[in-house]
Amino acid sequence: SNPNNIFRTFFGNNSNSFFNVSQGMPNMFTMNQRPTIITKKIKCSLEELYNGRIKKLKISRKVQDNSGIVRTETNILEINIKPGWKSGTKINFKGAGDILINKPKQDIHFIIEEKPHPVFKRKGDDLRIIINLSLKEALCGTEKEIKTLDGKNLKLAIKNIISPGMIKVYNGEGMPTKYGNRGNLVIK
């Protein structure tokens, strides 16, 4: 018997039924046309995330021509790292991955990963630093010089008695933000 009659028996004679045998099964290839995504991490120093930088990355990809021959192609992708970007920031390159017949183009997503810094720690848009003082410096006072990520020298004058864990904040000396201002530098 005709499969359409069997479906009409179960689902009625509605032409808007969800399945029509005469139309055939949906093509599995057309159902899976989303591009595949390749994810790669880019390690950036705190200085690069503070000042911004253009990074050039060399990638290799497979490209298949109409005759079915696959060749390897290298490309240079430029990533313009903006001042203030954070770990987890994603940069997308649509269609920059493999190009193979009967497969969707591959997208490449790069994710920023911040390298640890030997002096500063980042917390949001603030930079934090810990300074160790001798007992004499804590009681009698001292002057310390801190080199910031943009190369400036900040003078920290300690004139009062300092207790452990005391904090001094320099407004506007932290990481750049997308709104054009800066976070704070927190000295402990």
Side-chain angles (χ1 to χ4, degrees), residues 99-140:
I99 301 173
L100 302 172
I101 295 175
N102 293 331
K103 291 195 177 182
K105 288 183 179 180
Q106 289 181 329
D107 294 346
I108 300 178
H109 292 194
F110 291 100
I111 299 174
I112 299 292
E113 189 175 275
E114 184 181 308
K115 293 180 197 174
H117 194 273
V119 176
F120 296 99
K121 293 213 183 279
R122 182 179 188 175
K123 188 167 184 183
D125 294 325
D126 293 342
L127 290 173
R128 297 180 177 268
I129 185 172
I130 296 175
I131 296 178
N132 293 312
L133 300 175
S134 68
L135 181 59
K136 180 182 176 185
E137 290 172 325
L139 294 174
C140 301

Side-chain angles (χ1 to χ4, degrees), residues 24-158:
M25 289 288 289
N27 183 341
M28 297 311 274
F29 176 70
T30 57
M31 289 175 60
N32 192 17
Q33 281 296 308
R34 291 187 189 143
T36 53
I37 297 171
I38 299 169
T39 303
K40 299 201 179 268
K41 292 184 179 180
I42 300 177
K43 293 192 177 214
C44 297
S45 68
L46 195 56
E47 288 86 358
E48 290 172 326
L49 296 173
Y50 184 90
N51 296 305
R53 179 177 175 207
I54 293 178
K55 275 197 171 202
K56 294 183 180 187
L57 302 169
K58 185 177 182 180
I59 63 155
S60 295
R61 68 179 184 171
K62 294 176 186 163
V63 178
Q64 187 174 25
D65 62 20
N66 291 334
S67 64
I69 296 171
V70 178
R71 68 188 188 315
T72 302
E73 184 179 275
T74 57
N75 285 336
I76 306 285
L77 299 178
E78 278 191 10
I79 298 177
N80 186 12
I81 297 168
K82 306 266 188 224
W85 273 6
K86 298 177 181 173
S87 278
T89 301
K90 290 182 184 174
I91 306 99
N92 302 324
F93 287 92
K94 290 197 173 286
D98 292 344
I99 301 173
L100 302 172
I101 295 175
N102 293 331
K103 291 195 177 182
K105 288 183 179 180
Q106 289 181 329
D107 294 346
I108 300 178
H109 292 194
F110 291 100
I111 299 174
I112 299 292
E113 189 175 275
E114 184 181 308
K115 293 180 197 174
H117 194 273
V119 176
F120 296 99
K121 293 213 183 279
R122 182 179 188 175
K123 188 167 184 183
D125 294 325
D126 293 342
L127 290 173
R128 297 180 177 268
I129 185 172
I130 296 175
I131 296 178
N132 293 312
L133 300 175
S134 68
L135 181 59
K136 180 182 176 185
E137 290 172 325
L139 294 174
C140 301
T142 187
E143 243 184 43
K144 296 278 184 182
E145 201 166 80
I146 300 167
K147 188 168 187 152
T148 62
L149 292 174
D150 58 357
K152 288 192 302 188
N153 289 321
L154 284 179
K155 290 196 181 205
L156 173 64
I158 300 169

